[in-house]
Amino acid sequence: MAAADGSTHALGAADSGAPTAPRFTAVAPPPADNGAAFVWHLPRGFPTPAVPADNPMSTAKVDLGRRLFFETRLSVTGQYSCASCHEPARAYTDGRALAVGATGQPLIHSAMSLVNVAYNISFGWTKPEVLSLEQQMLEPLLNEHPVELGVAGREAAVCAVLSADPEYRDAFGQAFPPNAAAPDPVNFTNIVKAIAAFERTLVAGASPFDRYVFGGEHDALSPQAKRGMELFYSPRAACGTCHSGFNFNGNWRDSQGATGEAAFAHNGVTDRPMRVPTLRNIALTAPYMDDGRFKTLEAVLDHYASVAQLPASDPKLRTFKLSPDERADVIAFLQALTDPELPGR
């Protein structure tokens, strides 16, 4: 698969062998038209994220979005924020089987990790048509069945509360300089854009796996994790068939475009395909699957060892049997995908 600089990317979605480091370099985007130019500080081996033309990055916008991400006054109860379902300490998940909205109503899926979400082609578990963070943000803000943050019908009131705060009013003005078309920068559209800009910065790639593959640190992975990595990418287990690419969730989108369609698969749990989630930081994101039915990685491996026998399972899945030692090897590799330098932890 061709990388942004024309090199062959051995972590491409169609690959099943062990990866080698692509030759991506961190590149600063053009200066934004709203505040200080934003410079990406990306891990080695990571491409520059795609950014919508109508929501360019700026330092002021990211800073505003970070504050709004943790702002409980957005919610209908005044006690909930984006971070309530996406805790930094849990790789921006929440530790629940099913996410819970501001009013206490359970949602139908677990909260997906936001780490490296900047590279997603689509967003959410089941909707390939949701193609941007800005579009996705409308769901937790405006959903009513069930309520998540509960902003629907309260957009003007929420903006009025933020506008009455001098610090917020100044921050919005810096992130979105007023103009004739939008004289008041404190508006619902800009709330969405700021949070989306912040979420794009949640890029992490300093796990032992990254240090081994992209950094050339041969001792970063233990011998056990290296054996597990070989099994992960082998035709026998074929984990890398779905969990491919540098983010372990198939195709991705960066500043050069998408490498293909978003990866969805029948996982043997539901009757509809689910988006393949990243395996990065998986040691922090239990419970697992879209409904949180598995509490441990051991249970997940047991599920996938036999799920291919089910009629509704994805044809890419394989039935496999691992010895206890091999099972421990694969889990050691999965644990080596955890980044100790996660943003916000």
Side-chain angles (χ1 to χ4, degrees):
M1 183 170 294
D5 62 356
S7 63
T8 299
H9 200 316
L11 282 172
D15 300 331
S16 59
T20 58
R23 291 178 287 128
F24 287 115
T25 55
V27 178
D33 61 3
N34 48 10
F38 183 83
V39 178
W40 295 101
H41 298 283
L42 300 171
R44 185 174 181 180
F46 280 47
T48 304
V51 177
D54 64 350
N55 192 20
M57 300 291 285
S58 75
T59 301
K61 189 184 297 181
V62 171
D63 289 344
L64 172 62
R66 180 183 295 106
R67 183 173 176 183
L68 290 169
F69 186 86
F70 294 94
E71 179 56 75
T72 59
R73 286 179 289 179
L74 294 183
S75 71
V76 66
T77 61
Q79 299 178 345
Y80 234 63
S81 71
C82 302
S84 298
C85 288
H86 300 284
E87 302 174 23
R90 298 179 183 271
Y92 291 85
T93 61
D94 64 1
R96 299 185 180 101
L98 299 176
V100 175
T103 61
Q105 292 177 280
L107 310 187
I108 61 174
H109 297 296
S110 61
M112 301 188 88
S113 174
L114 296 182
V115 179
N116 297 339
V117 73
Y119 300 107
N120 282 7
I121 296 171
S122 71
F123 299 83
W125 283 103
T126 62
K127 298 181 179 179
E129 69 275 12
V130 178
L131 300 177
S132 72
L133 278 167
E134 289 79 3
Q135 185 181 1
Q136 188 278 331
M137 274 298 306
L138 299 177
E139 296 196 9
L141 289 170
L142 301 179
N143 278 353
E144 296 182 89
H145 305 288
V147 168
E148 294 188 46
L149 287 174
V151 179
R154 302 174 48 252
E155 295 92 332
V158 167
C159 291
V161 168
L162 298 179
S163 186
D165 183 322
E167 291 186 4
Y168 261 125
R169 186 153 193 85
D170 180 63
F172 272 94
Q174 292 185 42
F176 302 97
N179 55 55
D184 186 355
V186 187
N187 59 61
F188 181 71
T189 297
N190 287 346
I191 290 173
V192 171
K193 286 184 173 182
I195 296 175
F198 165 65
E199 290 179 345
R200 284 192 177 91
T201 68
L202 301 177
V203 176
S207 69
F209 167 83
D210 295 301
R211 290 163 48 209
Y212 175 65
V213 172
F214 299 140
E217 298 180 34
H218 295 286
D219 295 332
L221 282 187
S222 68
Q224 184 182 37
K226 289 176 183 176
R227 293 193 301 269
M229 179 175 173
E230 185 175 357
L231 278 167
F232 181 93
Y233 285 107
S234 71
R236 178 180 162 198
C239 308
T241 303
C242 289
H243 293 284
S244 60
F246 72 97
N247 205 36
F248 293 88
N249 64 344
N251 287 313
W252 70 90
R253 179 172 52 205
D254 58 35
S255 61
Q256 303 300 307
T259 62
E261 296 183 354
F264 283 76
H266 287 277
N267 59 16
V269 169
T270 66
D271 58 359
R272 63 188 301 182
M274 293 288 165
R275 186 163 65 81
V276 177
T278 181
L279 297 184
R280 285 185 173 273
N281 306 294
I282 195 168
L284 303 176
T285 60
Y288 305 107
M289 311 298 279
D290 72 286
D291 59 1
R293 66 177 57 199
F294 299 129
K295 294 182 179 180
T296 66
L297 289 173
E298 288 83 356
V300 175
L301 275 182
D302 290 344
H303 169 75
Y304 279 111
S306 60
V307 70
Q309 301 173 24
L310 300 177
S313 67
D314 198 279
K316 294 188 290 295
L317 296 175
R318 298 287 182 270
T319 298
F320 59 88
K321 185 175 182 180
L322 300 177
S323 70
D325 286 345
E326 289 175 325
R327 194 165 173 256
D329 291 345
V330 173
I331 290 173
F333 171 64
L334 294 174
Q335 291 173 335
L337 303 181
T338 298
D339 189 335
E341 301 177 10
L342 275 178
R345 283 193 78 198

